[in-house]
Amino acid sequence: MAFAIMIRLLVACLPVACLRAPPPRPNFLLLMADDLGIGDIGCYGNRSLRTPNIDRLAREGVMLTQHLAASSLCTPSRAAFLTGRYPIRSGMTSARGHRVLQWAAGAGGLPPEEITFARILQEHGYVTGLLGKWHLGLSCSSATDFCHHPHRHGFSHFTGLPLGMMGDCAPPGGVWPPPPHLESWPSEKRAVLEQRLFWWARLFGAGAAGILITAVMMGSIIGHPFRLRVAAAILACVLAAVAILASVVARHAGELVARADCFLMRGAEVTQQPLRLDRVTDMLLREAEVFLSLHSDQPFLLLMSFLHTHIPLVTKPDFQGRSRHGVYGDNVEELDWMVGRLLSILDHLGLTENTLVYFTSDNGAWLEAGPLGGSNGVFRGGKGMGGWEGGFRVPGVFRFPGVLPEGRVVDEPTSLMDVFPTVVGLAGGALPEDREIDGRDLLPLLRGETPHSGHHILLHFCEIFLHAARFVQRDAGKTWKFHFMTPNPDPSTPGQACPSRGVCPCVGDIKEHDPPLLFELGADPGETQPLLPGAEPALFEALHAVQREHERVIEGLGPSGTVRQQLGTLYNVWRPWLQPCCGTWCACDLE
Ligand SMILES: *[C@@H]1O[C@H](CO)[C@@H](O)[C@H](O)[C@H]1NC(C)=O
């Protein structure tokens, strides 16, 4: 009898009953990795990489298995994360241009009118900090207007990279000798710039030579006037000078791009240009420690936006060669170590009980990077590849001792955009009422008070184009996925859909599907076997519901059906007058 009561008590105590109500104004430590794949983490099924600290978070909290980025690339995904809205609503997209912000000195970025959860919390008395990668723009029309800067978006503290990691951040023979394992890193803009400049150098060089030869011939054959010959000689000299300048600049393209994009800012000051990759990991951890200890007695929100595990995969010597998966694996294990450090700082400061910790990645692993990219587990595709699951399914772990259950696994579809209403709700703030918020408060789902997330439809955009969508058929317990467009894979490198471009396009060289490709994710999470469109009558209704939802989002953009495209070519080119610099030659180290 007593035993039965005990059992009943235990059972009653298991799920929701024993949870305490969330305390007022708790702290938030949000951890976001860069390009980390869901298949890279132990608790999500990786058996050969060691991620004990992320696994510990999952054991002590709630692990989401169907957590979805709002875009398969960083800039739009991060914009959606911070605003709780599809990137298409803020214009953090392009129609035919680039898919991410390309330059720190471009004019595009998260529009100042957008409201981030950081801003709401800041207005609500929180201190708010961002450490690491931003990649949502800096300035609009002068190098110091900082219209897109983290300060403008609710972060009172910012130390990090305004853009983010790129292959270009590791210049060969730059200001510091790159560690040997960095030398062969695929560089992005550097190569393009080099190529273009050399092309211009050749063009101008040939022009100069042509004019010189013509002038000499004209002079000797028909005795053209002296003045004309002098003019031709001057023109030839100018062209030759341009050619020489272009080739000199091209030769140093790597270092110039590194200075233009890979620099460290503290607030509005550039403090290290270019960035010292070998020091940045320790520096960010130190900053986090200082932030947490300084603000341990007031409500805080800290977004730790890791540079890991994006190339150039900077890993401290202690972690080099330690994993079983090369330099990428080393970087994942170091990331996990950083997570562990942050958790132990929380423990030491006695903050664990009152802090919600969240861990995620901005998008799936980058398969085109080959062994330098991660794994998306069973999911098809990866970063940038249309609406395939691999680019969207990311890790999602929430821990809040006593407020959230321990070791719970939730399979419902949830989104990075849900963090917005969840954080705002817990902090006691109010959601903006003048705009559409696409995220849903996760707290009831995480606590087990409701079996369902607020999403029965999620749209998977590739830039402004609807590539795919999922529909949850609750009565049947099925999750359907429609693909309206998919990338056109290059058969030469299976798995890496667009090896020559690095990232697949959203329009142009893609496949359109009418009727859409159809999968049931419960039975076929790897999207391997397309189903027949007539598979179930309920599907017509589902497809209509998806189309209506898409129309609703487009109508919400206003009468023109579009907003200013922040990643469009016009805003996404280098504007010299927007370039933040320190020192005389955009080179300094004040750290
Ligand atoms: C674990 O991660 C590594 C590195 O991304 C990957 O090569 C390996 O396939 C993963 N293992 C599993 C079981 O997913």
Side-chain angles (χ1 to χ4, degrees):
M1 184 64 192
F3 185 67
I5 289 175
M6 249 172 66
I7 293 276
R8 206 167 307 151
L9 270 179
L10 260 179
V11 170
C13 229
L14 268 179
V16 196
C18 277
L19 296 176
R20 60 185 169 123
R25 293 155 67 85
N27 306 313
F28 300 94
L29 175 60
L30 310 179
L31 312 173
M32 178 174 270
D34 198 359
D35 286 5
L36 176 73
I38 191 168
D40 292 327
I41 305 173
C43 58
Y44 282 96
N46 199 305
R47 297 277 157 266
S48 43
L49 276 178
R50 290 164 296 184
T51 56
N53 295 294
I54 300 168
D55 301 349
R56 168 186 158 199
L57 272 182
R59 225 174 28 248
E60 295 174 352
V62 183
M63 180 172 104
L64 304 174
T65 61
Q66 205 181 151
H67 199 43
L68 299 153
S71 173
S72 61
L73 276 189
C74 52
T75 301
S77 174
R78 285 162 187 264
F81 167 67
L82 286 175
T83 59
R85 288 146 59 79
Y86 286 123
I88 188 173
R89 293 194 195 270
S90 54
M92 291 300 275
T93 43
S94 72
R96 261 177 193 279
H98 289 290
R99 297 190 55 190
V100 298
L101 291 173
Q102 293 287 306
W103 298 92
L110 191 61
E113 316 80 72
E114 287 297 322
I115 300 177
T116 67
F117 56 75
R119 185 156 133 202
I120 298 179
L121 264 62
Q122 188 183 44
E123 284 166 5
H124 207 61
Y126 274 71
V127 305
T128 50
L130 167 67
L131 299 175
K133 169 173 173 167
W134 173 239
H135 212 166
L136 295 174
L138 270 184
S139 292
C140 291
S141 49
S142 87
T144 51
D145 67 36
F146 293 128
C147 66
H148 308 300
H149 188 282
H151 280 176
R152 197 60 178 262
H153 283 296
F155 291 100
S156 39
H157 297 260
F158 167 57
T159 300
L161 270 77
L163 205 63
M165 279 300 223
M166 322 224 145
D168 297 311
C169 294
V175 287
W176 75 94
H181 73 281
L182 279 181
E183 247 153 1
S184 60
W185 248 254
S187 163
E188 292 131 42
K189 272 175 282 176
R190 184 199 301 165
V192 177
L193 197 68
E194 245 169 56
Q195 226 175 16
R196 291 213 184 130
L197 285 169
F198 275 128
W199 191 84
W200 283 110
R202 261 178 256 140
L203 190 75
F204 277 82
I211 287 175
L212 218 60
I213 291 168
T214 319
V216 169
M217 278 172 44
M218 283 192 309
S220 54
I221 300 168
I222 38 179
H224 263 280
F226 180 68
R227 263 195 305 178
L228 202 60
R229 273 180 280 157
V230 171
I234 291 174
L235 186 61
C237 286
V238 170
L239 293 184
V242 172
I244 290 168
L245 188 72
S247 60
V248 169
V249 174
R251 218 166 284 287
H252 295 280
E255 206 184 315
L256 294 176
V257 172
R259 284 188 200 181
D261 283 343
C262 310
F263 55 89
L264 194 69
M265 286 182 97
R266 262 174 204 279
E269 293 287 321
V270 178
T271 58
Q272 198 177 64
Q273 194 170 24
L275 174 74
R276 293 281 310 251
L277 290 179
D278 52 342
R279 292 192 191 161
V280 70
T281 299
D282 286 330
M283 193 275 299
L284 288 176
L285 277 177
R286 210 166 46 240
E287 289 295 308
E289 186 160 13
V290 169
F291 180 93
L292 293 171
S293 11
L294 277 181
H295 304 298
S296 57
D297 56 358
Q298 71 198 104
F300 65 80
L301 172 129
L302 177 60
L303 170 55
M304 185 76 173
S305 175
F306 295 101
L307 308 181
H308 294 60
T309 52
H310 199 292
I311 60 162
L313 300 172
V314 177
T315 307
K316 288 165 12 120
D318 335 354
F319 282 90
Q320 289 175 19
R322 255 183 51 162
S323 80
R324 282 167 57 188
H325 291 286
V327 285
Y328 180 83
D330 296 349
N331 203 241
V332 174
E333 294 194 355
E334 187 179 61
L335 164 76
D336 181 79
W337 166 80
M338 291 175 82
V339 171
R341 282 290 315 276
L342 294 170
L343 297 182
S344 68
I345 296 171
L346 282 188
D347 282 342
H348 280 158
L349 295 170
L351 293 170
T352 302
E353 292 297 305
N354 200 33
T355 303
L356 172 83
V357 180
Y358 167 65
F359 179 84
T360 194
S361 174
D362 59 351
N363 48 248
W366 190 20
L367 304 187
E368 276 82 2
L372 307 183
S375 150
N376 294 315
V378 301
F379 302 109
R380 180 163 176 184
K383 171 176 173 172
M385 289 186 205
W388 290 121
E389 207 60 6
F392 280 84
R393 273 246 199 175
V394 288
V397 181
F398 285 85
R399 185 191 77 174
F400 198 160
V403 175
L404 300 181
E406 279 180 27
R408 204 169 116 84
V409 177
V410 172
D411 298 325
E412 280 285 297
T414 57
S415 163
L416 250 62
M417 298 185 290
D418 298 340
V419 172
F420 181 101
T422 308
V423 164
V424 170
L426 275 167
L431 291 181
E433 279 172 7
D434 60 342
R435 62 196 67 205
E436 202 69 51
I437 301 290
D438 300 299
R440 299 285 175 263
D441 186 356
L442 284 177
L443 196 66
L445 177 71
L446 298 175
R447 280 166 68 87
E449 292 162 358
T450 163
H452 297 301
S453 79
H455 300 287
H456 81 122
I457 295 176
L458 270 168
L459 304 177
H460 303 309
F461 289 97
C462 189
E463 294 307 323
I464 60 170
F465 306 97
L466 183 66
H467 271 221
R470 72 216 298 126
F471 179 91
V472 184
Q473 192 189 357
R474 285 210 179 125
D475 51 3
K478 290 183 174 167
T479 303
W480 302 98
K481 178 113 174 257
F482 300 99
H483 287 266
F484 305 101
M485 304 178 208
T486 50
N488 210 4
D490 176 344
S492 64
T493 340
Q496 304 178 18
C498 306
S500 55
R501 298 171 195 254
V503 172
C504 294
C506 295
V507 65
D509 187 17
I510 51 155
K511 279 193 215 158
E512 298 196 22
H513 305 280
D514 188 12
L517 283 184
L518 174 67
F519 302 93
E520 200 279 293
L521 294 176
D524 183 13
E527 299 172 294
T528 52
Q529 294 295 327
L531 302 169
L532 291 175
E536 287 195 30
L539 286 176
F540 291 107
E541 188 38 48
L543 189 54
H544 277 140
V546 164
Q547 279 157 350
R548 275 197 306 274
E549 177 69 2
H550 184 212
E551 281 158 21
R552 200 180 63 83
V553 171
I554 300 297
E555 279 161 17
L557 301 180
S560 62
T562 174
V563 291
R564 181 188 273 188
Q565 298 299 304
Q566 300 287 337
L567 310 191
T569 312
L570 191 58
Y571 295 101
N572 216 342
V573 290
W574 182 61
R575 300 190 180 194
W577 61 93
L578 295 185
Q579 180 65 52
C581 264
C582 68
T584 332
W585 299 100
C586 293
C588 70
D589 188 358
L590 312 174
E591 282 297 320

